[in-house]
Amino acid sequence: MTENLARADALEERLALIPPLIDVDAHVVEPPDLWSKRLPARLRDIGPRIERAPGGEVTLVDGRYVEVPGTEGPDVAWWVYENSRTQIKRYIAAAGVPADEVTNEGIDYPDMRPGCWIPSERLLDMDRNGVQAQMCFPNYVRFCGQIFLWGKDRELAKLCVEAYNDWMVEEWCGPSEGRLIPLCLVPLWDVDLAVAELRRNAARGVRAVAFSELPAYLDLPSLHSGYWDPFFAACEDTGTVLSMHIGSGTKTPQTSADAPGAVGATIIFGNSVASMTDFLFSGVLHRFPNLKLLYAEAQIGWIPYVLERMDDVWETHRGWANGQLNCPELPSTYYYRQISSCFFKDSVGVELLDKVGLDNVLFETDYPHQDGTWPHSREAAAMQFGHLEQTAINKIARGNAIKLLGLSFPI
C-alpha cells in the first residue's frame, strides 16, 4: 500500500510538469460525405463513398487488405472506390474501447467515438487528454494517400486528393483556431502534379505533407533516382515538412505467412530504419539542406544504433559501398540537422535521448487507434519523460513540434 501511494505521488509530481501537448500523430476517420459532396456529380458513383453491408473476410496480401462483404450479420460501413471495398474496422476507431474488445471486424460510425470524425468532438477529446493541438494522418486512404495511387481513373484520383485536402484545410482544421494542424496529400503518381498540389496547399498555410517512407515499395521511383528532387525542392522552398507515417510504404516486415499478427506489429519499425537509411545515403538531405523530415509512430529507441551503424559503414566500407558517393558528410550529421521522429511508448528511447537528440524528438498520442494512449497521454508523457529537466520536458511535449511546424503557440 505504501509503495503504491509513493508511486501515485511521484506520478502526480511528474504530471504537474507536463505542459499542454502538441500531438504530431493522431488519425482521422474520414467522414462519410467527404468525397460524395465534393466530387463532380458524374464521378460520385465511382468515387469514395460509404455503403452498408454485412462484415466480411479480410486478407492481407503484400500489405494491402483484400476484403469481401459477408452475406449475413449486421451491416457495417464499407468504403467503396471504383472496384475496391474496405470496411471500417474497430481497431482504427478504438478510443475508449477495452483492449480485449478491439478486433479487425467491421463497424459503423455510431459504433465509434464522435471525435474520430467530427472536428468539434475531436477538440473535446483533445481537451480531455491534455492536448492543445494535433496533426492527423488519414485512415481509409492509407497513411500517404496510397489508395488513390492504386486508382485506375487518374482524373478521379487527382480530384479525390484535392477534395481531401480541401476538406482537411477548410472543414477539419478551419474552425479549430489552429488547434487542428493540416496535413495534406499529393498525387503520388506524378511528381509535377505533386509539386503543384503541395504549392497550392502551402499557399493557404499548410506546413506538412504526407509522403511514403519507402516509395519504391509502392512501385514508384526510389529516393536514389532523383525523380523526387523537384518535390523535395518545393518542400524546402515552402517550409513544408515531409511527414512519413509508419506503414506508408504499404509493405511491412513479415517473418512468415503463419506468424501471428503480434510479430508484424513488433517489427514494423523496420520500415523506418530502411527509410532513414535510404534518405541519408541517397544524398537527398545533402542536396536539400533545409528539407525537414518527420517520422510518425516510428518510436525512437532504434535510432542511435542505426546512426552508429551508418556512420561506421560510411567510413569502414568506403572502398566499395558507395556510402560517400552522395553523402559527403557523416550520415548522422544530416540526421541531427534535418530529421525528427515522434514516440508515445518508448522509455528505452528516452534513456538514450542524448544520442537520439533532444531537439529531434516529438510526442504523439495515436488517437483513436488501439495503440494510442488516449485519454491518458499526459500520464504516458509523465511516466516516460516527466523526470527530465523542465526545459527538456517542454521541448518534447510541445516546443520541438511548434518549431518544426511553425505553429503560433507559445513554446
Side-chain angles (χ1 to χ4, degrees):
M1 174 73 77
T2 302
E3 186 177 343
N4 289 339
L5 287 173
R7 274 201 205 116
D9 289 343
L11 177 58
E12 286 301 318
E13 289 178 8
R14 289 187 177 189
L15 266 173
L17 302 177
I18 303 298
L21 302 171
I22 305 292
D23 176 10
V24 293
D25 173 34
H27 294 267
V28 61
V29 177
E30 296 84 353
D33 62 351
L34 194 160
W35 288 279
S36 59
K37 72 179 185 182
R38 286 175 181 77
L39 289 174
R42 61 187 174 83
L43 296 174
R44 290 175 189 169
D45 289 340
I46 57 174
R49 62 202 182 278
I50 288 290
E51 295 181 358
R52 268 81 183 183
E57 295 293 324
V58 181
T59 306
L60 188 63
V61 180
D62 292 331
R64 295 174 63 174
Y65 292 107
V66 178
E67 306 182 49
V68 179
T71 57
E72 54 185 43
D75 284 352
V76 300
W78 288 81
W79 277 110
V80 183
Y81 169 50
E82 291 188 336
N83 295 322
S84 70
R85 290 177 176 268
T86 305
Q87 58 190 327
I88 297 179
K89 302 171 188 66
R90 165 54 71 200
Y91 67 81
I92 71 167
V97 179
D100 56 2
E101 296 179 18
V102 178
T103 68
N104 66 349
E105 295 177 349
I107 60 171
D108 204 344
Y109 284 85
D111 302 320
M112 65 182 88
R113 290 188 65 82
C116 293
W117 58 285
I118 299 173
S120 59
E121 295 290 335
R122 174 62 63 94
L123 294 175
L124 294 176
D125 280 354
M126 289 163 56
D127 289 340
R128 180 176 175 183
N129 203 26
V131 173
Q132 183 174 21
Q134 186 177 79
M135 186 170 78
C136 296
F137 283 82
N139 264 306
Y140 160 65
V141 302
R142 307 300 293 265
F143 299 145
C144 66
Q146 302 102 296
I147 202 81
F148 301 125
L149 172 66
W150 301 326
K152 296 178 181 178
D153 185 330
R154 289 302 194 210
E155 179 196 11
L156 172 61
K158 178 177 178 290
L159 290 172
C160 285
V161 168
E162 293 169 353
Y164 179 90
N165 292 338
D166 290 344
W167 167 82
M168 168 62 65
V169 172
E170 298 165 8
E171 292 195 36
W172 182 252
C173 298
S176 72
E177 298 183 344
R179 294 189 63 193
L180 292 170
I181 304 163
L183 171 70
C184 286
L185 308 177
V186 294
L188 293 167
W189 57 92
D190 186 305
V191 69
D192 293 330
L193 292 178
V195 168
E197 185 62 9
L198 175 82
R199 291 191 178 279
R200 182 176 82 94
N201 291 299
R204 50 183 176 173
V206 178
R207 291 295 174 263
V209 62
F211 190 66
S212 174
E213 58 194 349
L214 291 163
Y217 277 18
L218 299 175
D219 297 322
L220 294 169
S222 76
L223 298 176
H224 304 272
S225 67
Y227 175 82
W228 298 104
D229 280 9
F231 180 64
F232 298 145
C235 288
E236 185 180 55
D237 181 53
T238 59
T240 302
V241 178
L242 198 70
S243 306
M244 297 169 289
H245 194 284
I246 195 81
S248 56
T250 299
K251 297 177 186 177
T252 56
Q254 305 291 332
T255 59
S256 64
D258 57 350
V263 173
T266 300
I267 64 175
I268 190 171
F269 73 94
N271 276 16
S272 298
V273 174
S275 175
M276 189 177 293
T277 307
D278 231 18
F279 263 102
L280 292 177
F281 280 125
S282 68
V284 168
L285 300 188
H286 178 71
R287 295 193 297 277
F288 304 102
N290 294 310
L291 176 65
K292 303 297 184 183
L293 310 185
L294 170 67
Y295 284 93
E297 207 170 319
Q299 313 302 335
I300 59 176
W302 53 273
I303 292 174
Y305 173 70
V306 171
L307 293 178
E308 181 180 286
R309 177 60 180 165
M310 280 192 283
D311 283 356
D312 185 62
V313 167
W314 184 90
E315 180 62 43
T316 303
H317 302 298
R318 61 192 304 149
W320 64 270
N322 293 320
Q324 299 182 0
L325 183 63
N326 297 306
C327 181
E329 299 181 70
L330 279 171
S332 60
T333 304
Y334 302 99
Y335 164 79
Y336 289 115
R337 187 178 72 194
Q338 294 174 252
I339 298 180
S340 299
S341 190
C342 54
F343 74 100
F344 60 116
K345 291 180 180 178
D346 194 346
S347 58
V348 171
V350 174
E351 291 178 12
L352 298 171
L353 193 57
D354 60 328
K355 295 183 178 180
V356 178
L358 176 59
D359 294 328
N360 300 80
V361 297
L362 300 83
F363 201 60
E364 61 167 291
T365 71
D366 197 34
Y367 176 103
H369 287 181
Q370 183 184 15
D371 222 11
T373 52
W374 185 91
H376 305 295
S377 298
R378 287 187 69 251
E379 290 87 343
M383 287 187 288
Q384 291 176 83
F385 59 90
H387 61 288
L388 301 177
E389 296 291 333
Q390 189 67 57
T391 300
I393 292 173
N394 292 349
K395 281 190 172 187
I396 298 170
R398 58 187 288 112
N400 289 343
I402 291 170
K403 182 178 178 181
L404 180 68
L405 294 167
L407 306 178
S408 58
F409 300 104
I411 293 179

